[in-house]
Amino acid sequence: MPEENNSCVGLNEPRLVVRKFLAKPQYEGAGAIVRRSIGRFELRYFDPFLVLDEFSVTAPAGFPDHPHRGFETVTYMIQGSVTHEDFEGHKGTIGAGDLQWMTAGRGIVHSEMPSPHGTQKGLQLWVNLSSKYKMMEPKYQEISSKNIAETTKDGIKVRVIAGEALGTKSPIYTRTPTMYLDFTLDPGTHLQQPIPKPWNAFIYILEGEGVFGQSKSSASAHHLLLLGHGDGLEAWNKSTKLLRFILVGGEPLDEPLVQFGPFVMNTQEEIDQTIEDFENYTNGFEKARHWRSESGLSLDF
């Protein structure tokens, strides 16, 4: 079997797996099923990451009209498609393998509803924004599957959602410095992937079983692995089947955090102001007064 050499010349301090969670199914939105690994009671926040959901949605379930302020949502489709629309008139379909990186900033009201046929599956990551970006104008970065940076080397394939791996870079601009890598390892392969030392990082396994970190912790699908300090990740696929996982890392903001559902700010006063802005359709939420998505539904929060 091939062994991975990677673009780095070894790791001086491979990271340990320090915590492991199994993400169990729960209901969110309007009847959607998610496996939440970050943003649950055992792990409310992993700076700068607020939420990681692996979602499975079959119509008529979905995520109808709801607001956000103060962070970014990253939607990466695994199977099927989801239609997105917001109160600014932005609308489109995120298909299998596609990416949407949405900066909610000062305020967005939007809906995310599944294709009417079959079950739609994907990942949604919430990335916190520093105080200087929380009230910026909303922005989108969208990349279709065929345009996501991808490379294969020695039995390891990587799709570079954000950051860099195996000499391949993503065009995504991350206001909160972030890496987001989708790895598929053939049986018998060994990966070494650098991670900036000050960053927090985790693994979420989508398929198969792997061995991770200096402690050689074994884990299978739907497990979240938090990584300790170090300069990178080592992973092995010692099984006879494919191993697929995401590796996500980010620079901690080290700022106060106050969250009320879909609103994430630095102080309680800012949260109170956000609720007032949303209820009164002001300060970024003006267009919410008369807007409804095609679904015609909205979420309570």
Side-chain angles (χ1 to χ4, degrees):
M1 291 292 182
E3 181 164 305
E4 169 61 17
N5 294 316
N6 205 303
S7 56
C8 68
V9 185
L11 298 172
N12 293 321
E13 190 184 350
R15 295 187 179 219
L16 292 166
V17 174
V18 294
R19 293 178 76 182
K20 180 167 80 171
F21 301 99
L22 174 63
K24 297 178 181 179
Q26 65 185 61
Y27 284 100
E28 287 290 328
I33 298 172
V34 306
R35 291 177 179 267
R36 179 161 295 172
S37 48
I38 299 174
R40 54 194 256 176
F41 68 91
E42 300 101 323
L43 186 62
R44 288 295 184 190
Y45 183 47
F46 188 51
D47 192 2
F49 305 111
L50 296 152
V51 166
L52 178 66
D53 283 345
E54 179 185 4
F55 61 84
S56 178
V57 191
T58 303
F63 303 96
D65 305 5
H66 60 280
H68 294 296
R69 175 181 276 181
F71 61 99
E72 300 182 299
T73 67
V74 183
T75 304
Y76 181 42
M77 291 301 297
I78 305 297
Q79 171 187 304
S81 62
V82 166
T83 297
H84 169 273
E85 57 179 312
D86 72 18
F87 69 179
E88 294 284 355
H90 185 276
K91 182 177 179 181
T93 299
I94 312 168
D98 293 352
L99 170 73
Q100 181 193 75
W101 199 293
M102 184 187 82
T103 304
R106 67 198 300 254
I108 276 284
V109 178
H110 73 157
S111 70
E112 301 151 296
M113 299 301 288
S115 163
H117 307 294
T119 299
Q120 325 308 315
K121 297 182 179 182
L123 299 169
Q124 188 167 92
L125 176 71
W126 292 12
V127 184
N128 199 9
L129 288 169
S130 69
S131 57
K132 64 183 177 182
Y133 293 130
K134 283 190 178 296
M135 294 298 287
M136 68 177 285
E137 290 297 319
K139 293 186 180 298
Y140 288 90
Q141 299 177 83
E142 295 174 315
I143 304 181
S144 64
S145 181
K146 66 180 180 180
N147 292 322
I148 287 180
E150 184 177 306
T151 192
T152 302
K153 180 181 178 183
D154 297 335
I156 295 177
K157 182 178 84 170
V158 63
R159 308 189 84 221
V160 185
I161 308 305
E164 180 178 2
L166 303 184
T168 299
K169 290 184 179 180
S170 166
I172 288 289
Y173 174 72
T174 59
R175 286 164 185 83
T176 302
T178 304
M179 64 188 300
Y180 189 146
L181 309 174
D182 175 5
F183 282 108
T184 302
L185 275 61
D186 286 345
T189 51
H190 170 213
L191 168 71
Q192 291 184 310
Q193 172 60 41
I195 303 168
K197 265 195 168 185
W199 289 18
N200 285 330
F202 67 85
I203 294 160
Y204 187 78
I205 303 169
L206 296 170
E207 177 185 350
E209 185 173 357
V211 177
F212 300 93
Q214 191 177 19
S215 54
K216 294 185 168 56
S217 298
S218 179
S220 56
H222 313 303
H223 279 88
L224 178 88
L225 308 180
L226 299 186
L227 301 177
H229 299 293
D231 62 358
L233 168 71
E234 281 199 285
W236 295 262
N237 183 358
K238 298 185 178 182
S239 74
T240 58
K241 298 179 180 179
L242 288 177
L243 165 64
R244 185 180 182 188
F245 63 91
I246 60 167
L247 168 62
V248 179
E251 183 175 19
L253 298 176
D254 292 324
E255 293 184 2
L257 177 133
V258 182
Q259 180 173 359
F260 180 73
F263 303 141
V264 181
M265 303 300 287
N266 296 106
T267 67
Q268 185 59 49
E269 290 75 18
E270 289 170 343
I271 288 291
D272 294 342
Q273 183 63 55
T274 297
I275 294 169
E276 184 176 321
D277 290 343
F278 178 64
E279 290 179 343
N280 295 316
Y281 309 109
T282 57
N283 200 21
F285 290 110
E286 289 83 355
K287 294 181 181 179
R289 182 185 296 273
H290 302 295
W291 180 82
R292 295 293 181 272
S293 69
E294 289 187 4
S295 75
L297 303 173
S298 61
L299 283 178
D300 296 324
F301 65 93

